[in-house]
Amino acid sequence: MSMNKNTVLAWATFIMVLMGLILIGLGIYRYADVAGWGFASVGVGFLANAWVFNALKGRV
């Protein structure tokens, strides 16, 4: 199985979406205080980066 650029970007997108959802979940359920806002905002940042990676597939 050869991994070309699109496959690498697809895996990076999947991992970043997964980590973003985990961080948002930690912010909501685990840390109910001020730290939860930080976890959730970093999770949203991960989702934004994953969106950019997904948009780059086929163009790089």
Side-chain angles (χ1 to χ4, degrees):
M1 177 176 118
S2 69
M3 291 194 43
N4 58 9
K5 293 178 280 192
N6 288 333
T7 308
V8 171
L9 282 173
W11 276 107
T13 301
F14 174 71
I15 292 170
M16 290 192 80
V17 165
L18 186 66
M19 285 303 299
L21 293 176
I22 288 172
L23 285 170
I24 290 173
L26 278 173
I28 292 173
Y29 296 112
R30 176 71 170 103
Y31 299 105
D33 53 352
V34 178
W37 288 96
F39 273 94
S41 64
V42 169
V44 170
F46 265 82
L47 291 180
N49 276 339
W51 184 13
V52 170
F53 278 5
N54 191 31
L56 285 175
K57 282 193 303 189
R59 291 180 173 81
V60 176

